[in-house]
Every structure is written in structure tokens, then in C-alpha cells.
Amino acid sequence: MPLYRDQAIVLRTQKLGEADRIATLLTRANGKVRAVAKGVRRTSSRFGARLEPFSHVDLQLATGRTLDVVTQAETMAPYGEAIATDYARYTAGTAMLETAERLVAEEMEPAVQQYLLLVGGLRVLASGERDPGLVLDSFLLRSLAISGYAPTFDACARCGEPGPHRSFSAGAGGMLCSSCRIPGTASPTPETVELLGALLTGDWSTAETIDPRFRKAASGIVAAYLQWHLERSLRSLVHVER
Ligand SMILES: [Zn+2]
């Protein structure tokens, strides 16, 4: 079997047979890869503990007929230890892994920007330097932007009228001016909109100076925006399979 090396974040693992696991990986060079890790559920396994969710690993894989096989695994950064011991970090990190798996839909299609964003996000999350909720929301907005769904938090999403504006619509792609406003839009406060814009661009010095009481409203907007796009992508996938 031909061998190849790659670096990866472990997104998810599932049991396979008596002693094996299937690991879903987001790799640097090959995008999403599902690979069999043989014997990793035995206590004598050489690399079992290295292939846990959140782990940043350097791998050697063998190309298989259906699934590739992990033949070597070296830990680059065991983010799982620092993330799993803190509830807020763990819930934020789990949502990051799930979103990365959903937004990188196709296997074996390079998604290097998504990979680098996830590595950077998990590193910050594990370090405990920043609020886990802000790390998550920034990751979600930037991950959606990489996927082609960048929201606008300044100019009107429909006509381009310079902001700031008062209405947000997930379906329209961001803020709407008073002329373009449609029924059912949210009306976030100016501070919430400023926070969202800072999280999208990774402007931490602005994001962290905005009063923390606006974080919950910003999270609600991010969740609604993510939900809207994931449901649409799911529907389009169902459509393709028919
Ligand atoms: Zn407008």
C-alpha cells in the first residue's frame, strides 16, 4: 500500500470491531480523511492515546481501498488534555470540531485554510488566554467566511450602504439598512454588532474591550447564522444524493 505523511487534528473517533477505531481527521494537505487506527483500543497500543479528539498529530498513513490506515502517529500538541479538563473549553472545542467536520464536506479535498484556523483556535482555547465563548464565536464566523459565507457587520448586505446598521438577517447575509430591512430581522445593539465585526476579523483588542454583557447576544447571532448555513448545506447535500 502506498504511504503518505500528513499533519492533522483528530475531529472524531468511532469504534470499529473489537480493538480498532476509525478516526476522522482534518489534515493539512489532504483535507478531511477517515482512517483506521488498528489495535488502538488495546492498552498495549503504541499510539492509541495520541489519536483522541483535539489532538494535533503528525501521521503516516497507508492508502487503502476504502479507508486509509494509520501506520504511525506522533503527538505535536496534546490540546485534548487542556481542553477536556475545563467544561467551557470542552463545549467550545467540541462545537469547533463538529463545525469543521460539517463545513469541510468532501473527503480528500485540501482545506488548508480551515485546517490552519482550527489549529490556531484549539491552541488559543487550550492556552486559556481568552474567553472560550469568544474563541468559539470567532472560529465559527471565520470558518463560515472561509467556506464562502462571510457575513457583513458594517455595510448593508443587500445594497452596500455604509454602516453601522441596526437590523440583522441570517438569510440576507448580515446587517441590513433601513431601506432593505425585511420582516423577521434581529435588532442587535451597536456594541453587539461591533463585537461580531471584531470576532470576524480576529481583532482581539477590540473584542475584549467591549463589555462582556454583549457576548451572549453576539453568540445568539452567530448560532443563528451558522444554523441557517448548515441547514442549507445539508439540504443541498440531500438534493445531490437524490
Ligand atoms: Zn441596504
Side-chain angles (χ1 to χ4, degrees), residues 165-166 175 186-196 214 217 221:
H165 300 300
R166 298 301 308 272
M175 302 304 292
S187 301
T189 63
E191 293 87 348
T192 304
V193 177
E194 192 187 2
L195 175 57
L196 288 163
F214 296 106
I221 297 261

Side-chain angles (χ1 to χ4, degrees), residues 168-193:
F168 178 85
S169 163
M175 302 304 292
L176 293 174
C177 71
S178 50
S179 312
C180 296
R181 190 170 179 273
I182 50 176
T185 52
S187 301
T189 63
E191 293 87 348
T192 304
V193 177

Side-chain angles (χ1 to χ4, degrees), residues 55-193:
S55 289
H56 190 200
V57 285
D58 186 73
L59 301 174
Q60 185 187 66
L61 298 113
T63 305
R65 248 180 306 175
T66 50
L67 292 168
D68 293 352
V69 177
V70 178
T71 51
Q72 282 176 25
E74 299 298 334
T75 302
M76 296 173 70
Y79 296 130
E81 289 169 20
I83 291 172
T85 51
D86 179 278
Y87 184 72
R89 286 182 210 168
Y90 180 75
T91 52
T94 300
M96 288 163 67
L97 297 186
E98 286 176 4
T99 303
E101 184 173 357
R102 291 283 298 276
L103 288 178
V104 182
E106 299 298 322
E107 291 178 25
M108 299 304 282
E109 274 192 13
V112 69
Q113 281 185 289
Q114 293 284 9
Y115 167 82
L116 294 173
L117 184 72
L118 183 60
V119 171
L122 293 179
R123 182 190 303 128
V124 172
L125 193 65
S127 75
E129 285 166 22
R130 304 199 189 283
D131 175 71
L134 289 185
V135 174
L136 171 62
D137 287 335
S138 181
F139 172 84
L140 296 177
L141 289 172
R142 299 177 79 182
S143 182
L144 282 160
I146 290 169
S147 299
Y149 309 124
T152 65
F153 294 117
D154 40 28
C156 172
R158 280 213 168 149
C159 72
E161 175 79 13
H165 300 300
R166 298 301 308 272
S167 305
F168 178 85
S169 163
M175 302 304 292
L176 293 174
C177 71
S178 50
S179 312
C180 296
R181 190 170 179 273
I182 50 176
T185 52
S187 301
T189 63
E191 293 87 348
T192 304
V193 177

